[in-house]
Amino acid sequence: MSHPNPLLADDTLPAFAQILPEHVEPAIDTLLADYRAGIDALVAPGAPRDFGHVMLTQERLEQRLARAWAPVSHLHAVADSEALRKVYGPAEEKLTEHAIELCQNRELYAAVQALAAAADFAALPRPERALVEHALRDFRLSGVALAEPARSRFRAIGVELSRLSTEFSNAVLDASEAWHEHVTDERDLAGVPESGRAVLRQYAEDQQLDGYLVTLKQPSVQAVLTYADNRGLRERVYWAYQTRASDQGPDAGKFDNSARIERIMALRHEAAQLLGFANAAEESLATKMAASPTEVLEFLQDLAVRAKPVAQRELARLREFASTELKLDNLEAWDVGYASEKLRQRDYALDEEQLKPYFPLPAVIDGLFGLAEKLYGITLAVREGVDVWHPGVRYYDVRDAAGRVFAGAYVDLYARNGKRGGAWMDVCRARFDDGEHMQLPVAFLTCNFAPPTEGKPALLTHDDVLTLFHEFGHGLHHLLTGIALPSIGGIDGVEWDAVELPSQFMENFGWNREALDLFARHWQTGERLPDELFERMLAARHFHAGLFLVRQLEFALFDFLLHLEYDPAQGARALAVLEDVRKQVAVLHPPAWQRFPHGFSHIFAGGYAAGYYSYLWAELLSADAFGAFEQRAAEGGSVIDRATGERFRREFLAVGASRPALESFVAFRGRKPEPEALLRSHGLA
């Protein structure tokens, strides 16, 4: 029997078609009231202090809340509307306040402490002990030991930060959707390949316009900045994109995130100091592999020393090419992607447009799933009739070798209005076994590829293929977990600078001939990706690797130093910090009006605050992990080796946060990670 409020129904999967904005507030209020009543019963005098009563009760309450909030949060990201926003923000504040209140509940903290101090605690299975240890750590990081008024202040900071994060994200989305340029003369799009023009034509049709519509959606920005001969158009797109939600650009001040950045940084610093940390960077490392800010900075600065000279040589060569071949004596920021593509085509005779016919999205999906079957013995098959939020979404059952369904995934791959940009994996349902019921893991897999056009399937660039592999790697980490305690299963609880390992690991297969042969076939002829074209791909793999690395180092150092060196007397100084970082590592300096921080959602509206370095840290781990598969191939086996895949699944993917990530890495690789692996992966060793 269906529940009048679909968010309160105890269904296996969300009823997306039935979820309305007016359901959100009453559902959250009801669930939070039930949650508090459950905690009151848990901490009541005389209540048991065993694992089942203390920890499983909390997991059970948390999962009931998560089953309601996960679809709401997801809809906010992929099917945004004004009505949903009005209820989403207040509901998120209530959830944040509840989470902090829960972690500041001293009676609950005492119950968990009593469990940890019990004589039989050491006899518990390791995942159960890890859950308790993580809970105690999170209590401390949530201010449970603070005295008043510090406890209340810490709680208020958390609520305000949650609101600011949502506002930051909304401003970036609104700014992205506010700008467009209507092009009626096809000559203005000279250089843009037919696949790119088809996307722009579709954007125009969506708005009942003739001609083409250039927007700030990623496929549009990429097509123009990489291929458009029209330098003025490139400049306008770059200007609009790089000033989103700021005090500059075509909508200067309208969606401005400047004040939000200042407030977010001030609040993060204050919260860290309330907990006894010197700054927000130190607090961030309490849940990461890196032991200290010094270790992070040394890691990044060592990479910069190695990468910057390479980047300088690459830029000098690009400037010379742009001047002599393209007659661009002054290489501007909006020329770099365009000139780089022209140079790549000249040096390697490789054009992304040559590759795209070999990467039709349906075949890439089939090949990706086939790769997972070869590595892990699993299969993914579409299940029809599942309630979804858009007709283009597909739901897949994930089956084991015996054909049993043990997980599921929603896959939403195309860019559209109301959908946040970028690509990500998120949790719909976590694996949970409370002794009475088994909840299977379900993932959201989201990308923003250019959609199919008339007569053609969606054709991916090779970068798109790598993006899809990356997000699927996150999905496998969630779906293949063997831990049935949600707080430490799958990606949850894993150190943030290790959580990118499975995703970046999967990208390596996108460069492997054996893996590519599973799907890289011409969408019209069925022809296999030619060897000669593949060899050119490999030759170009490390094209501008130095420029790429220094750009990533710029992001990572800006983020980390912004949090590490924050001074309340001076404020965030975001643009000044960014400029200092650029003097240290950058070789290409954008115009003074560029406002990169104002759209940096990873750190201001995501989970990467003082942690963006995690991408590079985890890339080291992933490159070294993939080395085990390369070793099998070097020994005469296959890089798609089932035994090695099963070992990676068993020692890393399946264990979640039940043990430290470094321990899991060593269990798989037989040794600690070797830093040279990262340099080798970029061709810089």
Side-chain angles (χ1 to χ4, degrees):
M1 183 176 176
S2 62
H3 195 284
N5 187 328
L7 296 176
L8 295 175
D10 191 19
D11 295 331
T12 304
L13 297 173
F16 284 103
Q18 298 175 33
I19 297 172
L20 301 174
E22 53 264 34
H23 291 136
V24 175
E25 183 180 14
I28 296 305
D29 287 346
T30 296
L31 292 169
L32 290 181
D34 290 349
Y35 204 134
R36 292 186 179 100
I39 296 299
D40 288 343
L42 188 161
V43 301
R49 290 294 178 262
D50 56 65
F51 184 86
H53 184 76
V54 176
M55 303 308 297
L56 280 185
T57 295
Q58 292 180 70
E59 293 286 274
R60 198 175 290 118
L61 291 168
E62 186 64 30
Q63 284 309 295
R64 186 167 180 236
L65 182 60
R67 281 195 296 272
W69 186 244
V72 174
S73 178
H74 187 66
L75 288 172
H76 178 249
V78 299
D80 192 33
S81 70
E82 194 59 39
L84 182 56
R85 279 190 189 184
K86 286 180 179 178
V87 296
Y88 182 86
E92 188 176 45
E93 286 192 25
K94 290 179 182 179
L95 289 167
T96 302
E97 189 167 21
H98 161 76
I100 298 171
E101 174 189 294
L102 193 67
C103 281
Q104 289 189 349
N105 186 322
R106 290 180 173 176
E107 292 176 307
L108 183 58
Y109 180 45
V112 179
Q113 283 182 308
L115 176 59
D120 60 350
F121 178 70
L124 289 176
R126 185 163 190 180
E128 296 185 3
R129 296 200 311 275
L131 179 62
V132 174
E133 290 159 0
H134 277 237
L136 292 173
R137 180 201 65 193
D138 294 343
F139 272 117
R140 291 189 289 270
L141 292 176
S142 297
V144 71
L146 296 177
E148 291 294 356
R151 286 177 74 209
S152 294
R153 176 59 188 152
F154 188 88
R155 184 183 304 132
I157 288 172
V159 172
E160 187 175 355
L161 280 172
S162 173
R163 176 178 58 78
L164 288 167
S165 172
T166 298
E167 289 178 359
F168 187 99
S169 180
N170 287 344
V172 175
L173 177 61
D174 290 344
S176 299
E177 296 197 341
W179 186 91
H180 59 263
E181 183 168 319
H182 186 203
V183 176
T184 54
D185 188 341
E186 190 170 16
R187 289 173 295 183
D188 290 335
L189 297 176
V192 177
E194 171 53 31
S195 61
R197 293 199 306 274
V199 171
L200 304 183
R201 192 183 303 119
Q202 186 63 55
Y203 289 160
E205 290 177 7
D206 291 344
Q207 300 299 319
Q208 287 80 51
L209 297 171
D210 59 354
Y212 306 86
L213 196 67
V214 177
T215 74
L216 298 186
K217 292 184 178 69
Q218 196 57 44
S220 170
V221 173
Q222 184 177 347
V224 171
L225 293 184
T226 306
Y227 297 108
D229 296 333
N230 186 331
R231 196 183 192 193
L233 178 61
R234 293 202 308 269
E235 180 179 1
R236 292 192 298 276
V237 169
Y238 180 92
W239 178 56
Y241 189 77
Q242 294 290 349
T243 57
R244 291 175 301 161
S246 78
D247 60 336
Q248 299 290 315
D251 288 308
K254 187 174 181 182
F255 308 104
D256 194 0
N257 270 330
S258 299
R260 293 186 188 100
I261 291 173
E262 287 291 337
R263 186 63 177 159
I264 286 169
M265 292 305 303
L267 291 172
R268 285 176 179 170
H269 185 77
E270 183 183 356
Q273 293 207 316
L274 284 172
L275 294 176
F277 295 98
N279 48 64
E282 284 193 5
E283 181 193 358
S284 168
L285 296 186
T287 54
K288 294 182 173 65
M289 287 179 71
S292 69
T294 299
E295 187 177 3
V296 173
L297 291 176
E298 287 179 350
F299 168 70
L300 295 175
Q301 288 162 352
D302 177 64
L303 278 178
V305 167
R306 296 167 184 257
K308 189 172 182 178
V310 178
Q312 288 170 327
R313 292 194 295 271
E314 291 170 349
L315 181 60
R317 187 162 177 267
L318 183 64
R319 288 191 191 282
E320 180 185 3
F321 170 78
S323 175
T324 58
E325 302 292 329
L326 305 179
K327 309 307 178 188
L328 295 173
D329 292 330
N330 185 23
L331 188 72
E332 299 286 0
W334 47 89
D335 300 323
V336 172
Y338 175 78
S340 294
E341 180 61 18
K342 295 293 186 187
L343 178 59
R344 194 170 73 107
Q345 289 178 22
R346 189 198 72 174
D347 284 359
Y348 301 101
L350 185 67
D351 180 347
E352 280 286 2
E353 290 303 302
Q354 291 176 275
L355 292 173
K356 285 171 76 171
Y358 294 94
F359 298 134
L361 182 53
V364 176
I365 285 285
D366 288 345
L368 179 58
F369 293 169
L371 176 62
E373 181 175 6
K374 288 177 177 292
L375 286 172
Y376 308 119
I378 64 171
T379 57
L380 290 92
V382 171
R383 190 206 300 180
E384 303 292 350
V386 174
D387 193 346
V388 294
W389 54 92
H390 187 273
V393 177
R394 295 290 177 267
Y395 182 85
Y396 292 83
D397 283 323
V398 187
R399 298 178 182 272
D400 62 20
R404 291 184 294 264
V405 174
F406 69 91
Y410 293 93
V411 180
D412 181 0
L413 299 177
Y414 302 120
R416 59 177 179 271
N417 289 334
K419 184 179 180 183
R420 192 177 45 147
W424 66 92
M425 190 287 296
D426 209 348
V427 174
C428 175
R429 298 282 192 265
R431 180 179 174 87
F432 183 38
D433 183 358
D434 65 358
E436 298 177 5
H437 302 96
M438 169 61 83
Q439 178 176 273
L440 301 182
V442 178
F444 294 121
L445 178 61
T446 311
C447 295
N448 271 278
F449 301 138
T453 53
E454 188 174 352
K456 276 188 181 180
L459 301 177
L460 303 187
T461 66
H462 187 245
D463 280 346
D464 290 338
V465 172
L466 298 181
T467 295
L468 182 59
F469 274 52
H470 180 104
E471 299 308 332
F472 188 63
H474 281 309
L476 289 173
H477 199 182
H478 174 64
L479 300 172
L480 298 184
T481 187
I483 305 299
L485 298 169
S487 296
I488 58 164
I491 62 172
D492 287 310
V494 174
E495 297 97 318
W496 205 251
D497 42 9
V499 81
E500 293 292 336
L501 190 167
S503 53
Q504 293 179 337
F505 163 79
M506 282 299 295
E507 290 185 43
N508 290 285
F509 288 103
W511 291 102
N512 176 259
R513 173 88 250 189
E514 191 177 349
L516 287 170
D517 280 347
L518 297 175
F519 61 88
R521 297 182 182 278
H522 197 285
W523 72 276
Q524 289 173 303
T525 67
E527 175 196 10
R528 172 181 177 267
L529 180 71
D531 289 338
E532 183 263 343
L533 193 52
F534 174 66
E535 291 302 325
R536 280 188 274 146
M537 269 178 59
L538 288 185
R541 179 177 182 178
H542 301 305
F543 175 69
H544 284 178
L547 286 170
F548 170 80
L549 260 182
V550 295
R551 185 74 169 136
Q552 288 300 303
L553 288 163
E554 178 184 317
F555 297 162
L557 280 166
F558 164 71
D559 163 48
F560 202 76
L561 291 172
L562 188 70
H563 290 87
L564 181 69
E565 299 177 349
Y566 179 83
D567 182 349
Q570 298 183 41
R573 298 179 60 252
L575 296 177
V577 171
L578 182 58
E579 183 58 28
D580 289 345
V581 168
R582 284 174 173 162
K583 288 176 182 176
Q584 179 185 350
V585 302
V587 297
L588 187 71
H589 293 260
W593 44 256
Q594 194 234 39
R595 290 294 184 266
F596 161 71
H598 294 67
F600 199 3
S601 295
H602 274 77
I603 70 167
F604 294 118
Y608 284 87
Y612 195 84
Y613 79 89
S614 300
Y615 281 103
L616 290 168
W617 187 282
E619 190 176 352
L620 187 162
L621 301 175
S622 67
D624 203 352
F626 190 70
F629 291 81
E630 293 177 311
Q631 185 176 329
R632 286 293 298 122
E635 294 167 350
S638 166
V639 77
I640 309 176
D641 183 65
R642 178 68 174 273
T644 310
E646 289 288 1
R647 186 158 49 86
F648 184 63
R649 175 181 181 174
R650 181 177 65 252
E651 300 294 357
F652 201 95
L653 298 178
V655 300
S658 66
R659 65 186 181 193
L662 180 58
E663 191 175 322
S664 295
F665 180 93
V666 171
F668 168 67
R669 202 67 173 95
R671 56 166 173 75
K672 291 185 177 181
E674 295 179 348
E676 287 295 311
L678 176 58
L679 296 172
R680 286 196 301 272
S681 75
H682 286 281
L684 300 178

CSV table of all heavy atoms in Angstrom, one decimal, residues 43 53 115 138 149 165 238 250 280 290 292 315 340 349 358 371 378 424 431 438 449 472 482-483 529 531 559:
chain,number,residue,atom,x,y,z
A,43,VAL,N,19.4,6.3,24.7
A,43,VAL,CA,20.2,6.8,25.8
A,43,VAL,C,19.5,6.7,27.2
A,43,VAL,O,20.0,7.2,28.2
A,43,VAL,CB,20.7,8.2,25.6
A,43,VAL,CG1,21.5,8.3,24.3
A,43,VAL,CG2,19.5,9.2,25.5
A,53,HIS,N,22.2,-2.3,20.1
A,53,HIS,CA,21.3,-1.3,20.6
A,53,HIS,C,21.9,0.1,20.4
A,53,HIS,O,21.2,1.0,20.0
A,53,HIS,CB,21.1,-1.4,22.1
A,53,HIS,CG,20.1,-0.4,22.7
A,53,HIS,ND1,18.8,-0.5,22.5
A,53,HIS,CD2,20.3,0.7,23.4
A,53,HIS,CE1,18.2,0.5,23.1
A,53,HIS,NE2,19.1,1.3,23.6
A,115,LEU,N,30.4,1.6,25.2
A,115,LEU,CA,30.6,0.4,24.3
A,115,LEU,C,32.1,0.2,24.0
A,115,LEU,O,32.5,-0.9,24.0
A,115,LEU,CB,29.8,0.7,23.0
A,115,LEU,CG,29.9,-0.4,21.9
A,115,LEU,CD1,29.4,-1.7,22.4
A,115,LEU,CD2,29.0,0.0,20.7
A,138,ASP,N,34.1,11.4,15.1
A,138,ASP,CA,33.1,12.4,14.6
A,138,ASP,C,32.5,13.2,15.7
A,138,ASP,O,32.2,14.4,15.6
A,138,ASP,CB,32.1,11.7,13.7
A,138,ASP,CG,32.7,11.1,12.4
A,138,ASP,OD1,33.8,11.6,12.1
A,138,ASP,OD2,32.0,10.3,11.8
A,149,PRO,N,29.3,29.0,25.8
A,149,PRO,CA,28.4,29.0,24.6
A,149,PRO,C,29.0,28.5,23.3
A,149,PRO,O,28.4,28.6,22.3
A,149,PRO,CB,28.1,30.5,24.5
A,149,PRO,CG,29.4,31.2,25.0
A,149,PRO,CD,29.9,30.3,26.1
A,165,SER,N,26.6,27.1,1.4
A,165,SER,CA,27.0,26.1,0.4
A,165,SER,C,25.9,26.0,-0.7
A,165,SER,O,26.2,26.0,-1.9
A,165,SER,CB,27.3,24.8,1.1
A,165,SER,OG,27.5,23.8,0.1
A,238,TYR,N,34.6,32.7,-23.0
A,238,TYR,CA,35.6,32.6,-21.9
A,238,TYR,C,35.2,33.6,-20.8
A,238,TYR,O,35.2,33.3,-19.6
A,238,TYR,CB,37.0,32.8,-22.4
A,238,TYR,CG,38.0,32.7,-21.3
A,238,TYR,CD1,38.7,31.6,-21.0
A,238,TYR,CD2,38.4,33.9,-20.6
A,238,TYR,CE1,39.6,31.5,-20.0
A,238,TYR,CE2,39.4,33.8,-19.6
A,238,TYR,CZ,40.0,32.6,-19.3
A,238,TYR,OH,40.9,32.6,-18.3
A,250,PRO,N,29.4,39.6,-17.8
A,250,PRO,CA,28.1,40.1,-18.4
A,250,PRO,C,27.0,40.3,-17.4
A,250,PRO,O,26.1,41.1,-17.6
A,250,PRO,CB,27.8,39.0,-19.4
A,250,PRO,CG,28.5,37.8,-19.0
A,250,PRO,CD,29.7,38.3,-18.4
A,280,ALA,N,41.3,25.7,9.4
A,280,ALA,CA,40.5,24.8,8.8
A,280,ALA,C,41.2,23.7,8.0
A,280,ALA,O,40.7,22.6,7.8
A,280,ALA,CB,39.5,25.5,7.8
A,290,ALA,N,46.8,12.1,4.7
A,290,ALA,CA,47.9,13.0,5.0
A,290,ALA,C,47.9,13.3,6.4
A,290,ALA,O,46.9,13.7,7.0
A,290,ALA,CB,47.8,14.2,4.1
A,292,SER,N,49.8,15.8,8.0
A,292,SER,CA,50.0,17.2,8.4
A,292,SER,C,49.9,18.1,7.2
A,292,SER,O,50.2,17.7,6.1
A,292,SER,CB,51.3,17.4,9.1
A,292,SER,OG,52.4,17.2,8.2
A,315,LEU,N,54.5,25.8,-23.0
A,315,LEU,CA,53.9,27.0,-23.3
A,315,LEU,C,54.7,27.8,-24.3
A,315,LEU,O,54.2,28.5,-25.2
A,315,LEU,CB,53.7,27.9,-22.0
A,315,LEU,CG,53.0,29.2,-22.2
A,315,LEU,CD1,51.6,29.0,-22.8
A,315,LEU,CD2,53.0,30.0,-20.9
A,340,SER,N,46.1,24.9,-28.7
A,340,SER,CA,46.6,23.6,-28.2
A,340,SER,C,46.0,22.5,-29.1
A,340,SER,O,46.7,21.6,-29.5
A,340,SER,CB,46.2,23.3,-26.8
A,340,SER,OG,46.9,24.2,-25.9
A,349,ALA,N,48.7,14.5,-35.8
A,349,ALA,CA,47.6,14.2,-36.8
A,349,ALA,C,46.4,13.6,-36.1
A,349,ALA,O,45.8,12.6,-36.6
A,349,ALA,CB,48.1,13.3,-37.9
A,358,TYR,N,34.2,6.6,-33.1
A,358,TYR,CA,34.5,5.3,-32.5
A,358,TYR,C,34.1,5.2,-31.0
A,358,TYR,O,34.2,4.1,-30.4
A,358,TYR,CB,36.0,5.0,-32.5
A,358,TYR,CG,36.5,4.9,-34.0
A,358,TYR,CD1,37.0,6.0,-34.6
A,358,TYR,CD2,36.5,3.7,-34.6
A,358,TYR,CE1,37.5,5.9,-36.0
A,358,TYR,CE2,36.9,3.5,-35.9
A,358,TYR,CZ,37.4,4.7,-36.6
A,358,TYR,OH,37.8,4.5,-37.9
A,371,LEU,N,33.7,-4.7,-19.3
A,371,LEU,CA,35.0,-4.6,-18.6
A,371,LEU,C,34.8,-5.0,-17.1
A,371,LEU,O,35.6,-5.8,-16.5
A,371,LEU,CB,35.6,-3.2,-18.7
A,371,LEU,CG,36.9,-3.0,-17.9
A,371,LEU,CD1,38.0,-3.9,-18.4
A,371,LEU,CD2,37.3,-1.5,-18.0
A,378,ILE,N,30.7,-9.4,-12.6
A,378,ILE,CA,29.3,-8.9,-12.4
A,378,ILE,C,28.7,-8.5,-13.7
A,378,ILE,O,29.5,-8.3,-14.7
A,378,ILE,CB,29.4,-7.6,-11.5
A,378,ILE,CG1,30.2,-6.5,-12.1
A,378,ILE,CG2,30.0,-8.0,-10.1
A,378,ILE,CD1,30.1,-5.1,-11.4
A,424,TRP,N,29.3,13.2,-11.5
A,424,TRP,CA,29.5,12.8,-10.2
A,424,TRP,C,28.7,11.4,-9.9
A,424,TRP,O,27.9,11.0,-10.7
A,424,TRP,CB,28.9,13.8,-9.2
A,424,TRP,CG,27.5,14.0,-9.2
A,424,TRP,CD1,26.5,13.4,-8.5
A,424,TRP,CD2,26.7,15.0,-10.0
A,424,TRP,NE1,25.2,13.9,-8.8
A,424,TRP,CE2,25.4,14.9,-9.7
A,424,TRP,CE3,27.2,15.9,-11.0
A,424,TRP,CZ2,24.4,15.7,-10.3
A,424,TRP,CZ3,26.2,16.7,-11.6
A,424,TRP,CH2,24.8,16.6,-11.3
A,431,ARG,N,24.3,-0.1,1.3
A,431,ARG,CA,24.2,-1.5,1.7
A,431,ARG,C,24.0,-1.5,3.2
A,431,ARG,O,24.8,-0.9,4.0
A,431,ARG,CB,25.4,-2.3,1.3
A,431,ARG,CG,25.4,-3.8,1.8
A,431,ARG,CD,26.7,-4.5,1.3
A,431,ARG,NE,26.7,-5.8,1.8
A,431,ARG,CZ,26.2,-6.9,1.2
A,431,ARG,NH1,25.6,-6.7,0.1
A,431,ARG,NH2,26.3,-8.1,1.7
A,438,MET,N,17.7,-6.6,4.7
A,438,MET,CA,18.9,-6.3,3.9
A,438,MET,C,18.5,-5.2,2.9
A,438,MET,O,17.6,-5.4,2.1
A,438,MET,CB,19.4,-7.5,3.2
A,438,MET,CG,20.5,-7.2,2.1
A,438,MET,SD,22.0,-6.5,2.8
A,438,MET,CE,22.9,-7.9,3.3
A,449,PHE,N,27.0,14.9,-20.9
A,449,PHE,CA,27.5,14.8,-22.2
A,449,PHE,C,26.5,15.4,-23.2
A,449,PHE,O,25.4,15.6,-22.9
A,449,PHE,CB,27.7,13.3,-22.6
A,449,PHE,CG,28.6,12.5,-21.7
A,449,PHE,CD1,28.3,11.2,-21.3
A,449,PHE,CD2,29.8,13.1,-21.3
A,449,PHE,CE1,29.2,10.5,-20.5
A,449,PHE,CE2,30.7,12.4,-20.5
A,449,PHE,CZ,30.4,11.1,-20.1
A,472,PHE,N,32.2,5.8,-13.0
A,472,PHE,CA,31.8,4.4,-12.8
A,472,PHE,C,32.7,3.7,-11.7
A,472,PHE,O,32.3,2.9,-11.0
A,472,PHE,CB,31.9,3.6,-14.1
A,472,PHE,CG,31.3,2.2,-14.0
A,472,PHE,CD1,30.0,2.0,-13.8
A,472,PHE,CD2,32.1,1.1,-14.3
A,472,PHE,CE1,29.5,0.7,-13.7
A,472,PHE,CE2,31.6,-0.2,-14.2
A,472,PHE,CZ,30.3,-0.4,-13.9
A,482,GLY,N,31.4,-4.8,0.6
A,482,GLY,CA,31.0,-6.0,1.4
A,482,GLY,C,30.7,-5.6,2.8
A,482,GLY,O,30.4,-6.5,3.7
A,483,ILE,N,30.7,-4.3,3.1
A,483,ILE,CA,30.4,-3.8,4.5
A,483,ILE,C,28.9,-3.4,4.5
A,483,ILE,O,28.5,-2.5,3.7
A,483,ILE,CB,31.3,-2.6,4.8
A,483,ILE,CG1,32.8,-3.1,4.7
A,483,ILE,CG2,31.0,-2.2,6.2
A,483,ILE,CD1,33.2,-4.2,5.6
A,529,LEU,N,38.6,0.5,-33.7
A,529,LEU,CA,39.5,1.6,-33.7
A,529,LEU,C,40.9,1.2,-34.3
A,529,LEU,O,41.5,0.3,-33.9
A,529,LEU,CB,39.8,2.1,-32.2
A,529,LEU,CG,40.7,3.3,-32.0
A,529,LEU,CD1,40.0,4.6,-32.5
A,529,LEU,CD2,41.1,3.4,-30.6
A,531,ASP,N,44.6,0.6,-35.5
A,531,ASP,CA,45.9,0.6,-34.7
A,531,ASP,C,46.6,1.9,-34.9
A,531,ASP,O,47.2,2.5,-33.9
A,531,ASP,CB,46.8,-0.5,-35.2
A,531,ASP,CG,46.2,-1.9,-34.7
A,531,ASP,OD1,45.4,-1.9,-33.8
A,531,ASP,OD2,46.6,-2.9,-35.4
A,559,ASP,N,43.4,26.2,-2.8
A,559,ASP,CA,42.4,25.7,-1.8
A,559,ASP,C,43.1,25.5,-0.5
A,559,ASP,O,42.6,25.9,0.6
A,559,ASP,CB,41.8,24.3,-2.4
A,559,ASP,CG,41.2,23.5,-1.3
A,559,ASP,OD1,40.4,24.1,-0.5
A,559,ASP,OD2,41.5,22.3,-1.2
